[in-house]
């Protein structure tokens, strides 16, 4: 999903990718990514959490922590 | 918040080329007032004349992430609100746990400093805050 939103091949998104290391992961794309996650998993990510989910690892951890709330 | 009662300073529109900006100005009967290159965003910014109302800023990216805005098509990008003090605004927002995108205000293409609200707070709308640079009068 991250690759899709950032419009890059999956192999160009390493597990340790973050908004600070990956070109193109700017504030607007970050919002697109957050909204895509909300739609895909049928969850509402609080604004404060959105600000904190600036890496693949943090997103992964967040989804695991909220696994019971995920719609899919 | 310091933005209470603030007015619209300008509306920012991203266009992929200067020619497209010129075409749109001609179509809308607008005239250029001033322009400048903002290195931070690698963009040429062209402001139209306001004639008493808020101008349009055409943002023409020269590389960088803005070239990808709206899949490269461009379009309405931000609304800019004028504030008295970016420093005060930053402090007020900071007290609410809200930070602006830039750690320090950026010099805009006109006579102003600016900073942006992270679009996660508006869930889509990019808001720019603008503090006009006051001309110092000789003492």
């Amino acid at each position: 999903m991250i690759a899709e939103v950032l419009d890059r091949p999956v192999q160009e998104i390493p597990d340790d990718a973050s908004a600070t290391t990956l070109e193109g992961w700017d504030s607007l794309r970050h919002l697109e990514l957050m909204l895509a996650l909300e739609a895909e998993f049928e969850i509402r990510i609080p604004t404060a959490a959105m600000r904190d989910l600036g890496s693949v690892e943090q997103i992964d951890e967040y989804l695991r922590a909220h696994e019971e709330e995920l719609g899919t | 918040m310091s933005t209470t009662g603030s007015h619209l300073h300008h509306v920012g529109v991203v266009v992929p080329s200067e020619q497209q900006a010129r075409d749109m100005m001609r179509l809308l009967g607008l005239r250029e007032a001033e322009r400048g290159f903002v290195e931070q965003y690698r963009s040429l910014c062209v402001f139209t004349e306001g004639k008493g109302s808020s101008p349009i800023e055409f943002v023409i990216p020269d590389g960088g992430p803005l070239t990808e805005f709206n899949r490269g098509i461009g379009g309405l990008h931000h609304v800019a609100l004028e504030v008295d003090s970016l420093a005060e605004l930053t402090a007020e927002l900071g007290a609410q746990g809200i930070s602006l995108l830039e750690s320090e205000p950026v010099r805009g293409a006109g006579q102003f400093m600016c900073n942006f609200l992270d679009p996660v707070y508006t869930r889509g709308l990019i808001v720019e805050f603008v503090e006009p640079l006051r001309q110092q009068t000789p003492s």
Side-chain angles (χ1 to χ4, degrees), chain A residues 5 26-32 35 38 44-45 47 50-51, chain B residues 65 68-69 71 77 99-101 118-121 123-124 126:
Chain A
V5 171
D26 61 10
S27 59
L28 205 52
R29 287 293 169 92
H30 182 71
L31 175 64
E32 282 183 44
L35 298 181
E38 285 190 337
R44 170 89 177 182
I45 303 173
T47 302
M50 284 187 176
R51 287 296 308 264
Chain B
E68 302 295 321
F69 177 68
R71 306 292 182 244
H77 181 262
S99 57
L100 296 175
L101 280 181
D118 192 316
V120 298
Y121 294 112
R123 292 195 164 241
I126 300 176

Side-chain angles (χ1 to χ4, degrees), chain B residues 9-11 21 25-26 28-35 45-58:
Chain B
H9 184 273
H10 68 264
V11 173
M25 280 192 277
R26 191 179 308 116
L28 300 175
L30 300 169
R31 291 171 61 178
E32 179 177 332
E34 60 181 331
R35 63 170 55 202
C45 301
V46 177
F47 282 85
T48 61
E49 288 179 347
K51 288 184 180 174
S53 62
S54 302
I56 292 175
E57 174 192 24
F58 289 104

Side-chain angles (χ1 to χ4, degrees), chain B residues 3 8 72 76 78 88 93-94 97 103 117 119 122 124 130 133 135:
Chain B
T3 53
L8 184 66
L76 181 60
H78 65 265
E88 285 178 18
L93 291 176
S103 56
L117 186 63
T122 58
V130 166
L133 291 169
Q135 296 221 331

Side-chain angles (χ1 to χ4, degrees), chain B residues 17-67:
Chain B
S17 69
E18 195 175 345
Q19 182 61 51
Q20 189 163 323
R22 279 196 295 268
D23 290 346
M24 205 179 302
M25 280 192 277
R26 191 179 308 116
L27 177 70
L28 300 175
L30 300 169
R31 291 171 61 178
E32 179 177 332
E34 60 181 331
R35 63 170 55 202
F37 191 84
V38 181
E39 195 63 47
Q40 183 101 355
Y41 306 119
R42 293 162 68 181
S43 296
L44 172 66
C45 301
V46 177
F47 282 85
T48 61
E49 288 179 347
K51 288 184 180 174
S53 62
S54 302
I56 292 175
E57 174 192 24
F58 289 104
V59 180
I60 304 143
D62 181 21
L66 277 176
T67 56

